[in-house]
Amino acid sequence: MKEIIVATKNKGKVKDFEELFKRKGFVVKSLLDYPELEDVEETGETFVENAILKSEQISKALNKTVISDDSGLSIDALNGEPGVYSARYAGAHKSDEDNMNKVLEKLGGIPYEQRTARFHCALALTVQNGQTHTVEGTCEGMIHTEKVGDHGFGYDPIFYLPDYSKTMAELTNAEKNKISHRANALKKLQNMIDELF
């Protein structure tokens, strides 16, 4: 069986990747299966740089094919914040709740039409021979004034999709997997995977 390691301990992300890779006949593992591995320091200034850092270091350590993503939220009214700091926006303890509260607080008083934002996902795939390939995907939306919905993770409850009149956290997994930034990046990656494997 083809095996791919998803370079994350985030169960939500693992689930997103599993749904897309199982169809291709991959056995999907994550860093939760390798507790002995040390975390890769995300010192890149862009989502792409961070994704490459993670996939290359982990592929080298395990001698396996690894896919990593670095993704986050960019809010126009906050000059692109939280950006690469999305996971730790409210502090190193990485709390989704605190991160969302910080965004809502910072956007207090900013009118709806100025609350444009996008989720951005950079994927890096490092194959066993050490070659790395990258793709990117985005999903456009607005920042809601409150948290709505209980699906998804991260900033999903405050990321409003005008075309659906719902937040990302109100979508079913199937709906989210059609339009999310990660799904858009994975669509680009799928053709590449067919060629590589």
Side-chain angles (χ1 to χ4, degrees), residues 165-180:
S165 302
K166 287 177 178 177
T167 66
M168 192 74 100
E170 292 178 283
L171 299 181
T172 64
N173 271 349
E175 287 173 320
K176 183 180 172 179
N177 279 339
K178 280 188 191 134
I179 62 149
S180 79

Side-chain angles (χ1 to χ4, degrees), residues 175-190:
E175 287 173 320
K176 183 180 172 179
N177 279 339
K178 280 188 191 134
I179 62 149
S180 79
H181 51 309
R182 193 164 295 113
N184 288 330
L186 278 161
K187 278 173 203 155
K188 294 179 186 175
L189 191 74
Q190 278 177 351

Side-chain angles (χ1 to χ4, degrees), residues 40-186:
V40 174
E41 221 180 310
E42 295 179 19
T43 52
E45 287 179 20
T46 64
F47 294 119
V48 173
E49 285 175 18
N50 281 336
I52 291 171
L53 275 172
K54 286 187 277 192
S55 71
E56 289 185 346
Q57 283 187 38
I58 292 161
S59 179
K60 200 173 167 186
L62 297 174
N63 192 28
K64 290 181 186 289
T65 296
V66 173
I67 186 161
S68 76
D69 90 323
D70 195 43
S71 50
L73 179 65
S74 297
I75 301 166
D76 295 322
L78 300 179
N79 300 315
E81 282 183 22
V84 290
Y85 303 105
S86 291
R88 51 193 186 277
Y89 194 44
H93 58 288
K94 294 187 178 182
S95 156
D96 289 349
E97 204 60 30
D98 291 352
N99 288 339
M100 284 189 283
N101 289 338
K102 183 172 178 179
V103 165
L104 292 175
E105 205 176 295
K106 280 194 142 189
L107 288 178
I110 290 181
Y112 174 76
E113 60 279 1
Q114 288 172 32
R115 297 169 79 102
T116 51
R118 73 211 40 80
F119 274 128
H120 191 109
C121 173
L123 296 179
L125 176 79
T126 302
V127 275
Q128 271 165 304
N129 67 12
Q131 258 195 324
T132 300
H133 309 268
T134 61
V135 290
E136 295 176 80
T138 58
C139 177
E140 299 288 328
M142 312 290 285
I143 300 300
H144 209 335
T145 51
E146 58 184 354
K147 298 170 210 149
V148 183
D150 46 21
H151 297 294
F153 59 95
Y155 295 93
D156 288 357
I158 60 169
F159 191 80
Y160 184 73
L161 300 151
D163 292 352
Y164 286 76
S165 302
K166 287 177 178 177
T167 66
M168 192 74 100
E170 292 178 283
L171 299 181
T172 64
N173 271 349
E175 287 173 320
K176 183 180 172 179
N177 279 339
K178 280 188 191 134
I179 62 149
S180 79
H181 51 309
R182 193 164 295 113
N184 288 330
L186 278 161

